[in-house]
Structure formats: structure tokens, C-alpha cells
Amino acid sequence: MAVPKRKVSSARQNKRRSNVWKLDAPALMKCPKCGEYKAPHRVCDNCGYYNGREVIKKEA
């Protein structure tokens, strides 16, 4: 079984627990048609438009 040879210093331990490893927030952009936030290069969930064209029929 693997056992640490030396005590992990508090500086090294704190570096490991730092915010360096946190994920970034997902990129969002406003839909030019309805103004809702959506993921880039994806169909808008609210209005169903992508790249100026209606891709999904949505009820108003």
C-alpha cells in the first residue's frame, strides 16, 4: 500500500485546494431574436431560432 514518505506542507496542501482547479462558467450570449440567454452555436430554447432561421417551431 502506498504511504506518504513525508508530511505534506501546508503551502503545498493549500495550493492543491486553491481555486486553480475550478471550472469556468459556461459562455452565454443573448439571442438576437428574443433576447434570452443561450449557449453560442446552439438553437435558442425560447424562440427556436438559430442563425436567423426558425429551426424549431415554438408556440408564441
Side-chain angles (χ1 to χ4, degrees), residues 1-17:
M1 192 167 106
V3 177
K5 199 161 200 166
R6 297 229 174 253
K7 176 184 175 183
V8 177
S9 69
S10 59
R12 185 174 287 274
Q13 181 180 359
N14 291 340
K15 278 185 217 172
R16 188 179 64 239
R17 292 178 179 169

Side-chain angles (χ1 to χ4, degrees), residues 33-46:
K33 193 76 175 171
C34 65
E36 286 285 319
Y37 284 104
K38 69 178 192 75
H41 307 287
R42 300 288 187 275
V43 177
C44 178
D45 290 331
N46 192 44

Side-chain angles (χ1 to χ4, degrees), residues 46-58:
N46 192 44
C47 64
Y49 274 75
Y50 175 71
N51 206 14
R53 294 181 302 181
E54 187 176 15
V55 181
I56 301 170
K57 295 265 188 206
K58 293 279 184 172

